[in-house]
């Protein structure tokens, strides 16, 4: 679309120049013919690009929301279903709780894959999916949410009825399954959650059912209902919050930088990632301490620490784009943009040298502060990358409403490249979509040369991952910049 706008404006400029040029009466017919022909070409290209973006979006949407083996919704799919159910209930003034969620875990699936091979494993999964769909009349109620775990959105049933249903499900899984290698018995356990009104996140609702499933499996039982005690994390959370607060003050946090390369393997950017080495616990992963920090009011401080360090270190690498993760919590604060402005001035950096990574949920958030923050940040010159693309939401409609500069394909789509043909189809669908929308596309989590080769063949030019370079200290990136080949010398430096 941006290209169409750009060509349209040059045609208009040309026309305007011709009108004012001396001897314009001779050149005008030729220019007019050029303008008409140009406009027709543009119109055709525009239609084609709209059509392409619609078909790619529909295809990507299906692939992103369904499990290719069973054709059931995957985790994304069921999360969207629950989101939609909640939105509808809220708009109708009805009870927005998720009802019961049942997770069925297959006992011997891995054994079958290991001993009887892929075809048998896939045949078992397909048969189990058919059986589950036979139990529930509504489409899309059952989803495959893990290797050997299915989740079923049951609605409101009493505990007694759920116990009966769980027993039936286990019996259904105990019936022999025919495979190319003969008949096998899979076995199962069931975990049930009834998320209460405080649970407004579908991921959390499913996590509770999975915790119940683990409890059933650990007890070598077949059914368990979620109990808050299964969640051991509350005490740990409090302790971590206290320690993190201290870490922010005493300098125990630091940033590392992971290389991003272009199609020639040249280093073109780095992603800033936060690290915390706790004196008592050792290395605490950011996936643990950032959400805990944000839930306890430390989100802004953590975010500004990351930006400040990235601004300071970026001076070492002129020409590299430095990407910094920005969380929804930061964007929701009216203090964020003014604080970023102050940091830009303090470090005397150019915002156009930086990319802010946001997740899909941010774009779907109707919060006006979030949209205003994003507009302001773009206005300052920052570019915006959509992180973990494909993991969050099923609707891709937001992509045509909000301008982003880059899509980062989540590593869960990269990991199967070369192993499953559908993995390549997903990458192709996303790169087509990105091309139709005129945005850059980068693949995350590239761990081997085979993946990189497929990605490049499918038109994904930018890459990040352990194969390209592990997260490294600022000095490690200095060394990589100094090395004759920009990538590949970073592995030891993290
Ligand atoms: P992310 O933004 O998706 O960052 C990429 C994560 O994938 C990093 O984990 C990186 O070390 C890891 N990774 C990179 N290449 C590979 C690979 O080839 N294979 C595998 N398996 N993993 C790879 P890390 O550093 O643990 O960060 C995890 C998440 O924590 C980040 O995911 C991001 O969501 C969050 N995070 C990290 N630093 C910050 C920060 O400064 N601010 C905010 N808001 N979030 C951060
Ligand atoms: Ca990121
Ligand atoms: Ca990511």
């Amino acid at each position: 679309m941006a290209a169409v706008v750009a060509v349209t404006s040059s045609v208009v400029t040309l026309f305007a120049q011709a009108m004012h040029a001396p001897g314009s009466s001779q050149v005008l017919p030729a220019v007019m013919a050029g303008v008409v022909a140009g406009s027709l070409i543009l119109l055709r290209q525009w239609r084609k690009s709209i059509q392409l973006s619609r078909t790619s979006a529909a295809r990507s949407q299906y692939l992103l929301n369904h499990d290719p083996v069973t054709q059931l919704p995957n985790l994304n799919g069921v999360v969207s279903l629950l989101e939609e159910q909640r939105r509808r209930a809220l708009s109708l003034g009805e009870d927005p709780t998720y009802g019961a969620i049942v997770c069925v875990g297959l006992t011997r699936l891995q054994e079958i894959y290991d001993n009887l091979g892929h075809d048998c494993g896939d045949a078992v999964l397909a048969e189990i999916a058919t059986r589950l769909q036979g139990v529930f009349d509504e489409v899309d109620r059952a989803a495959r949410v893990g290797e050997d775990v299915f989740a079923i959105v049951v609605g409101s049933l009493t505990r007694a009825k759920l116990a009966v249903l769980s027993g039936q499900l286990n019996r259904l899984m105990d019936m022999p399954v025919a495979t190319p290698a003969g008949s096998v018995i899979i076995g199962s356990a069931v975990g049930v959650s009834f998320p209460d009104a405080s649970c407004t996140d579908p991921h959390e609702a499913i996590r509770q059912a999975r915790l119940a499933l683990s409890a059933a499996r650990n007890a070598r039982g077949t059914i368990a209902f979620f109990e808050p005690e299964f969640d051991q994390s509350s005490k740990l959370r409090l302790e971590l919050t206290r320690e993190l607060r201290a870490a922010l003050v005493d300098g125990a946090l630091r940033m590392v930088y992971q290389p991003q390369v272009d199609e020639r393997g040249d280093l073109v950017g780095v992603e800033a990632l936060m690290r915390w080495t706790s004196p008592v616990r050792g290395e605490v992963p950011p996936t643990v301490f950032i959400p805990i920090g944000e839930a306890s009011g430390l989100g802004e401080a953590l975010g500004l620490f990351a930006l400040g360090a990235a601004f300071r270190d970026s001076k070492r690498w002129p020409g590299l784009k430095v990407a910094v993760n920005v969380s929804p919590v930061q964007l929701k604060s009216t203090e964020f943009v003014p604080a970023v402005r102050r940091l830009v001035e303090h470090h005397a950096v150019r915002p156009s040298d930086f990319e802010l990574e946001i997740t899909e949920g941010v774009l779907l958030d109707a919060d006006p502060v979030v949209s205003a923050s994003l507009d302001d940040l773009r206005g300052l010159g920052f570019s915006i990358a959509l992180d973990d693309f494909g993991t969050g939401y099923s609707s891709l409609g937001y992509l045509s409403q909000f301008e982003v500069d880059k899509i980062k394909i989540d590593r869960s789509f990269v990991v199967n490249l070369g192993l499953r043909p559908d993995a390549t189809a997903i990458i192709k669908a996303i790169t087509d979509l990105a091309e139709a929308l005129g945005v850059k596309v980068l693949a995350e989590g590239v761990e081997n040369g085979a993946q990189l080769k497929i990605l490049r063949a499918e038109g994904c030019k930018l890459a990040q991952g352990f194969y390209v370079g592990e997260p490294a200290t600022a000095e490690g990136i200095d060394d990589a910049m100094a090395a004759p080949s920009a990538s590949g010398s970073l592995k030891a430096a993290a």
Side-chain angles (χ1 to χ4, degrees):
M1 187 58 89
V4 173
V5 173
V7 182
T8 310
S9 63
S10 19
V11 168
V12 170
T13 314
L14 187 72
F15 183 68
Q17 279 169 357
M19 288 293 283
H20 293 102
S24 61
S25 57
Q26 287 106 50
V27 288
L28 204 54
V31 170
M32 282 300 282
V35 169
V36 171
S39 308
L40 283 175
I41 293 169
L42 277 174
L43 194 63
R44 204 174 317 142
Q45 273 180 350
W46 181 63
R47 280 213 193 106
K48 223 167 103 187
S49 95
I50 295 265
Q51 218 169 13
L52 181 62
S53 97
R54 279 203 193 119
T55 31
S56 321
R59 195 156 150 249
S60 310
Q61 195 142 320
Y62 182 84
L63 290 167
L64 294 175
N65 288 309
H66 289 83
D67 163 44
V69 180
T70 60
Q71 303 304 321
L72 290 180
N74 56 15
L75 182 61
N76 284 343
V78 73
V79 163
S80 308
L81 175 83
L82 289 169
E83 288 268 344
E84 182 49 41
Q85 182 182 307
R86 183 177 161 78
R87 254 198 302 269
R88 206 175 37 236
L90 283 171
S91 70
L92 296 172
E94 293 171 359
D95 175 16
T97 49
Y98 295 116
I101 296 180
V102 173
C103 271
V104 180
L106 306 181
T107 310
R108 279 182 291 277
L109 183 71
Q110 196 53 50
E111 211 176 295
I112 287 165
Y113 268 109
D114 292 346
N115 298 332
L116 303 179
H118 238 262
D119 287 353
C120 287
D122 284 2
V124 166
L125 281 171
E127 167 62 19
I128 297 299
T130 311
R131 286 184 192 174
L132 289 175
Q133 276 177 313
V135 178
F136 302 97
D137 41 7
E138 254 179 67
V139 216
D140 286 2
R141 280 237 185 157
R144 184 175 172 214
V145 295
E147 272 310 302
D148 56 4
V149 181
F150 292 85
I152 301 144
V153 179
V154 176
S156 45
L157 278 189
T158 61
R159 198 176 161 110
K161 283 194 175 147
L162 278 164
V164 173
L165 175 72
S166 303
Q168 285 168 342
L169 286 169
N170 276 328
R171 279 195 294 283
L172 199 63
M173 300 302 128
D174 279 340
M175 283 160 58
V177 181
T179 75
S183 163
V184 293
I185 291 181
I186 307 301
S188 63
V190 170
V192 184
S193 70
F194 287 108
D196 61 20
S198 69
C199 176
T200 55
D201 177 357
H203 286 281
E204 173 59 19
I206 295 165
R207 192 182 74 91
Q208 291 183 2
R210 291 195 71 147
L211 278 175
L213 171 62
S214 304
R217 283 173 154 168
N218 292 341
R220 294 188 183 280
T222 49
I223 302 173
F225 283 79
F226 174 77
E227 304 288 345
E229 300 85 81
F230 293 166
D231 209 344
Q232 292 283 321
S233 53
S234 3
K235 193 166 147 264
L236 181 64
R237 269 169 188 271
L238 282 176
E239 287 172 12
L240 280 171
T241 306
R242 200 169 15 87
E243 292 167 22
L244 187 56
R245 214 179 285 276
L248 264 165
V249 180
D250 61 25
L253 293 176
R254 70 205 150 87
M255 299 306 286
V256 291
Y257 298 91
Q258 186 172 32
Q260 299 178 335
V261 298
D262 66 8
E263 70 269 41
R264 289 186 303 277
D266 289 340
L267 187 61
V268 288
V270 288
E271 175 178 359
L273 295 161
M274 207 182 289
R275 294 290 176 262
W276 175 26
T277 314
S278 145
V280 257
R281 297 174 200 280
E283 209 55 44
V284 185
T287 43
V288 171
F289 73 79
I290 290 176
I292 290 179
E294 289 183 339
S296 44
L298 299 177
E300 281 187 76
L302 289 172
L304 295 178
F305 167 79
L307 272 170
F311 285 175
R312 187 195 59 225
D313 289 339
S314 70
K315 303 251 170 100
R316 308 161 78 117
W317 317 305
L320 283 197
K321 190 88 150 183
V322 179
V324 185
N325 292 284
V326 175
S327 75
V329 173
Q330 290 173 272
L331 291 167
K332 274 185 187 158
S333 157
T334 48
E335 291 304 305
F336 182 57
V337 175
V340 173
R341 263 206 200 97
R342 284 195 294 274
L343 271 181
V344 165
E345 276 165 27
H346 177 75
H347 290 276
V349 288
R350 275 185 319 194
S352 57
D353 291 334
F354 300 88
E355 186 168 77
L356 303 178
E357 295 196 4
I358 58 166
T359 47
E360 290 163 273
V362 166
L363 293 187
L364 289 176
D365 200 319
D367 188 335
V369 180
V370 171
S371 348
S373 297
L374 282 173
D375 283 349
D376 291 350
L377 292 166
R378 276 189 134 245
L380 285 174
F382 288 100
S383 45
I384 306 287
L386 201 50
D387 203 1
D388 305 339
F389 181 75
T391 56
Y393 291 84
S394 63
S395 162
L396 297 176
Y398 64 84
L399 274 181
S400 49
Q401 283 161 36
F402 298 93
E403 276 200 63
V404 297
D405 305 277
K406 188 188 280 175
I407 286 174
K408 293 188 80 182
I409 305 178
D410 188 68
R411 69 166 170 272
S412 56
F413 300 108
V414 174
V415 74
N416 286 324
L417 284 177
L419 303 176
R420 307 190 78 104
D422 41 67
T424 308
I426 294 181
I427 300 295
K428 173 93 181 88
I430 300 177
T431 49
D432 282 353
L433 179 70
E435 197 185 328
L437 293 167
V439 303
K440 290 185 196 153
V441 58
L442 174 145
E444 293 191 288
V446 180
E447 291 184 349
N448 57 55
Q451 291 167 347
L452 191 60
K453 205 166 154 203
I454 300 174
L455 285 162
R456 287 184 178 156
E458 297 308 329
C460 179
K461 294 179 181 148
L462 301 169
Q464 179 182 344
F466 294 162
Y467 181 71
V468 165
E470 289 187 16
T473 57
E475 292 74 23
I477 299 295
D478 294 344
D479 295 345
M481 293 276 287
S485 148
S487 62
S489 58
L490 295 158
K491 293 210 154 74

